[in-house]
Amino acid sequence: VVNENLLYLTNSEIREIQNDRLRKQISLLAEASPYYEKLFKENNIDVSKIKTVDDLVNIPVTTKKDYLRDPESFKLVHKNPNVFDTVWQVMYSAGTTTGKPAPFYWTTYDYYSSLQQMKKSAEIDGITSKDLVINLYPLTSVPHAGYHRALDICAVVGAPVVSALTGARYPEFPVHNSTDHAVAMIEKYRATVLMGIPSFIRRLLLMALNEKRDYSSVRMVRVTGESCHKGVRDNIHELLEKLGAENTFIASSFSSTETSGALGTECKELGGMHCVSPDFYYVEILDDVTYERLPPGEVGLLCFTHLNRRGTALLRFVLGDMVSITYEPCPHCGRNGMRLIGQPFRTSEIVKIKGTLINPDTLKTVLTSITGIDEYKIIFTKENLQDPFSIDKLKLQVSAKEGFNTTLLAQEVIAKVRNAVEVTPEVEFLTSTEIYDPRKSLKATRIVDERPRWDE
Ligand SMILES: [Zn+2]
């Protein structure tokens, strides 16, 4: 039974639908997914015993590494395929570690389902046929989801859409437009909705401001692809106001190539992202070290399971994002089900400090490898936090294990960190409890970026 208003059911009713979907999907994976068939066998998993989403914890997680090793093994090979199992399109993840984009297959079935999911998310964020949308996702050399889904959501709600077609030019087929063209387009078409990546939209707004454009028609900015925290939102609102657009709504939705659809959509800014299609996704939050499932409210790794998918299908797939979830009814719209709280942030997000790009995961690896260290915290800060132009600083708070000489330990930390990331850290010794007090917080915070975000 297809229920158009799943989010108005009770949480236990939603859970029943998820459990039912899961049982069907798991038995499909057992016979049609080369990767999971092998995984179940190797781990002696009896799929008939996976009856509810709570039983998922008995199945190992799938990481990006697992996926990248052999993307084709995640594409279902149906025993008795029907016409809806035809490959409709292939989306690619953005640059991977190997530099080779990985394919994600969408069947006709998956495509139809995503259209229906987008219809539901439009009900939440409010795009209608009365809007005029500018699609500001770039036209890329490999198909990325943003561009296509922007067109699809407009198709499914019946909204007219104009694509800006920005992106790297291809000399033989000069179809791309300049960003100047995109800036002019918004005014020319009297756009009501802008869709795109937050940092790109912000850049366009800055350009528009220089040209004194009239963007008074804009009522909404719908973003995905990047975390859209309060700082960026305030900035976008401010720019839009200067361009004549007042009381704008910035709707951030969370999706990735791997999810193949939106995991979350906002009904109100920073009000939490509703999992629009709980019959398609089950979301878990996991400890970033042990992969143990964490209760609602705790921040951890976002992990999802496809509950109804026939192209590329993933089970307990760990995205590189940290977030927490809640099952409380939404205080803004009253819908039930799961919401993502706060903006997911990348654990492996590359940090630029003193002009050098560093991966916090590299730092974590170095620090955990030093035997004299008990607890640690990595802080990206500035010489003077009040002055956005002052020099970046890498500060490491560490606690020494008993019997270790702190002077020697500091020398070791400085040498190893400098060697790994080419930045000399400042080392501060604290007690373990000062760095992480398990009585006060359930999890240690390893990385803190104190620097103001919009200092360019
Ligand atoms: Zn809501």
Side-chain angles (χ1 to χ4, degrees):
V1 179
V2 179
N3 191 321
E4 288 288 337
N5 294 304
L6 279 191
L7 300 190
Y8 291 109
L9 299 177
T10 65
N11 281 341
S12 56
E13 286 167 333
I14 295 172
R15 184 53 50 88
E16 273 315 302
I17 292 169
Q18 291 185 311
N19 289 339
D20 179 55
R21 283 290 190 194
L22 177 71
R23 288 190 287 268
K24 288 176 184 143
Q25 182 75 13
I26 286 265
S27 54
L28 177 64
L29 294 183
E31 63 163 49
S33 168
Y35 180 85
Y36 290 110
E37 206 188 325
K38 193 165 158 243
L39 181 116
F40 296 152
K41 215 167 275 168
E42 282 175 359
N43 292 277
N44 295 317
I45 291 163
D46 177 356
V47 291
S48 68
K49 292 207 171 112
I50 307 294
K51 291 191 159 64
T52 71
V53 289
D54 287 334
D55 298 329
L56 279 173
V57 294
N58 300 316
I59 302 174
V61 299
T62 304
T63 63
K64 283 194 185 192
K65 259 190 202 149
D66 297 327
Y67 188 79
L68 293 175
R69 220 174 278 133
D70 188 9
E72 300 294 334
S73 67
F74 291 83
K75 178 178 182 262
L76 303 194
V77 182
H78 295 279
K79 289 251 158 68
N80 299 300
N82 62 46
V83 70
F84 299 100
D85 293 322
T86 310
V87 172
W88 179 277
Q89 61 181 196
V90 188
M91 290 290 122
Y92 291 83
S93 60
T96 61
T97 41
T98 57
K100 225 173 91 184
F104 290 79
Y105 295 90
W106 291 56
T107 63
T108 307
Y109 182 88
D110 298 330
Y111 183 64
Y112 285 4
S113 92
S114 95
L115 289 177
Q116 194 208 4
Q117 291 173 45
M118 281 187 278
K119 208 172 180 175
K120 290 184 190 174
S121 68
E123 277 171 27
I124 292 180
D125 61 28
I127 294 177
T128 71
S129 57
K130 293 191 184 99
D131 282 305
L132 185 296
V133 179
I134 305 278
N135 173 14
L136 294 166
Y137 289 98
L139 182 62
T140 48
S141 50
V142 292
H144 287 171
Y147 176 83
H148 290 276
R149 302 289 87 81
L151 296 178
D152 286 339
I153 195 164
C154 294
V156 86
V157 302
V161 57
V162 185
S163 294
L165 297 182
T166 56
R169 281 161 191 266
Y170 190 74
E172 193 181 352
F173 308 121
V175 294
H176 287 88
N177 293 319
S178 65
T179 39
D180 288 322
H181 185 91
V183 168
M185 233 174 202
I186 298 167
E187 186 181 71
K188 180 182 166 193
Y189 288 97
R190 306 285 303 151
T192 62
V193 178
L194 310 181
M195 287 190 194
I197 297 162
S199 56
F200 182 70
I201 289 185
R202 182 176 167 273
R203 180 55 48 86
L204 282 190
L205 297 179
L206 284 167
M207 289 168 69
L209 199 59
N210 272 338
E211 299 173 19
K212 298 195 167 52
R213 295 280 178 183
D214 172 11
Y215 281 5
S216 54
S217 56
V218 177
R219 67 164 194 90
M220 175 176 173
V221 178
R222 191 180 192 272
V223 293
T224 187
E226 252 178 23
S227 161
C228 194
H229 50 86
K230 198 175 171 300
V232 197
R233 288 175 199 252
D234 289 349
N235 193 253
I236 290 177
H237 281 304
E238 194 190 320
L239 290 167
L240 280 169
E241 237 166 75
K242 286 181 182 158
L243 291 159
E246 276 166 27
N247 304 317
T248 47
F249 171 40
I250 301 172
S252 174
S253 91
F254 183 81
S255 57
S256 71
T257 318
E258 293 90 348
T259 59
S260 301
L263 271 195
T265 300
E266 285 179 331
C267 67
K268 186 178 167 37
E269 275 193 45
L270 297 169
M273 293 192 238
H274 288 277
C275 178
V276 184
S277 311
D279 46 344
F280 283 85
Y281 302 104
Y282 178 69
V283 172
E284 298 170 78
I285 300 299
L286 310 178
D287 183 279
D288 62 339
V289 178
T290 62
Y291 289 150
E292 261 172 77
R293 188 186 284 186
L294 298 175
E298 282 190 42
V299 175
L301 283 172
L302 181 51
C303 167
F304 72 90
T305 292
H306 282 135
L307 296 176
N308 188 2
R309 204 172 154 85
R310 297 179 67 87
T312 292
L314 300 168
L315 181 64
R316 301 200 84 205
F317 190 81
V318 178
L319 288 160
D321 301 86
M322 304 280 285
V323 73
S324 68
I325 57 173
T326 179
Y327 284 96
E328 295 292 317
C330 178
H332 314 292
C333 70
R335 287 179 175 90
N336 290 321
M338 188 279 286
R339 279 177 301 140
L340 302 176
I341 294 302
Q343 293 291 298
F345 60 95
R346 295 247 132 176
T347 44
S348 57
E349 200 165 58
I350 304 298
V351 177
K352 197 175 189 183
I353 184 159
K354 289 185 180 172
T356 306
L357 293 173
I358 61 176
N359 185 341
D361 287 349
T362 312
L363 279 175
K364 282 188 189 174
T365 313
V366 169
L367 293 171
T368 34
S369 76
I370 298 172
T371 39
I373 291 182
D374 218 334
E375 292 286 351
Y376 69 88
K377 189 184 272 184
I378 301 161
I379 303 168
F380 301 106
T381 184
K382 286 190 165 288
E383 295 284 7
N384 174 8
L385 274 176
Q386 308 314 315
D387 173 10
F389 299 103
S390 81
I391 297 165
D392 286 337
K393 202 165 82 173
L394 173 61
K395 199 160 100 181
L396 302 173
Q397 291 180 338
V398 296
S399 65
K401 277 195 183 128
E402 250 192 291
F404 278 81
N405 178 312
T406 51
T407 314
L408 292 175
L409 198 53
Q411 283 169 3
E412 189 188 353
V413 170
I414 290 169
K416 286 192 171 160
V417 167
R418 196 194 284 147
N419 189 34
V421 298
E422 295 175 344
V423 172
T424 307
E426 180 185 284
V427 181
E428 183 185 7
F429 284 94
L430 296 173
T431 67
S432 291
T433 343
E434 282 173 318
I435 296 174
Y436 167 47
D437 186 351
R439 288 166 306 181
K440 286 183 185 153
S441 56
L442 287 158
K443 262 175 63 84
T445 307
R446 293 291 173 217
I447 296 174
V448 177
D449 196 342
E450 295 180 341
R451 300 171 298 172
R453 292 293 290 245
W454 293 98
D455 53 353
E456 54 183 26

